Amino acid sequence: GFADMMNAKAVELGCTQTHFTNPYGYADPEHVTSAHDMALIMAAALQNEMYSKISTTANYTLPASNKYDKTRGLQNGNKFVSTTTYAYEYYIGGKTGFTDLSGHTIVAAARKDGTTLIGVVLGASSSNIRYEELIKLFDFGFETYSTDVVTAEEFQSINDSTVSQIKSGIQNAGYALEVTDVKITLD
């Protein structure tokens, strides 16, 4: 039943190539996803501040309970958190995985100067390669792209220009079509 809820949430997030057959990630030829869908799921996870806190915590001690008399320690195996070799200054959360079918995988996010990047590596041949490649992707993204704030007036000007170009393209192509409604959706 939980996998069914996961599938419903994936559809709600806009995932189109994801189907869960179990809630714990065990290999199954019908338990599938794509890099794009994993990025959508990570973006949703990042909306919950507790997710970043949990996934960037190196160690946690579970207190004694009615089932266990002693405290128990949990260690985060994600090398972005648990090692200095792959520690990444801008890392804000992620999840690793491995099965024989998928290879070594990771979906993670990094934030620098107000820009958040999400990276996905699927099918890596080793654990270390997934971290090395994701660090390269993050570094490339931060070096190559920037986030600019656009004022409402600038946005309206860009929107008007885009609609005008579309109308001209339709008219120049000789189509008997017209733009009657423009809907703007901002995330």
Side-chain angles (χ1 to χ4, degrees), residues 12-61:
E12 179 184 321
L13 295 175
C15 298
T16 59
Q17 298 178 12
T18 295
H19 180 261
F20 298 110
T21 60
N22 61 74
Y24 36 79
Y26 282 151
D28 178 334
E30 295 187 27
H31 187 93
V32 296
T33 193
S34 66
H36 177 262
D37 287 0
M38 288 307 304
L40 292 175
I41 293 167
M42 175 57 64
L46 292 172
Q47 298 301 311
N48 184 333
E49 290 178 24
M50 185 58 73
Y51 175 78
S52 285
K53 182 177 180 179
I54 291 169
S55 68
T56 59
T57 298
N59 298 292
Y60 183 77
T61 302

Side-chain angles (χ1 to χ4, degrees), residues 77-144:
N78 184 323
K79 292 181 183 180
F80 276 136
V81 177
S82 67
T83 70
T84 55
T85 304
Y86 295 107
Y88 192 71
E89 176 181 3
Y90 307 111
Y91 175 76
I92 60 169
K95 177 69 179 88
T96 62
F98 173 82
T99 68
D100 289 337
L101 288 172
S102 68
H104 296 270
T105 65
I106 188 168
V107 56
R111 184 173 295 135
K112 179 181 177 184
D113 299 330
T115 297
T116 301
L117 301 177
I118 295 174
V120 182
V121 174
L122 303 175
S125 59
S126 76
S127 175
N128 292 344
I129 287 174
R130 67 180 162 197
Y131 293 101
E132 292 163 4
E133 295 303 312
L134 193 51
I135 289 170
K136 289 177 191 175
L137 287 170
F138 284 147
D139 287 345
F140 175 81
F142 288 130
E143 291 168 11
T144 307

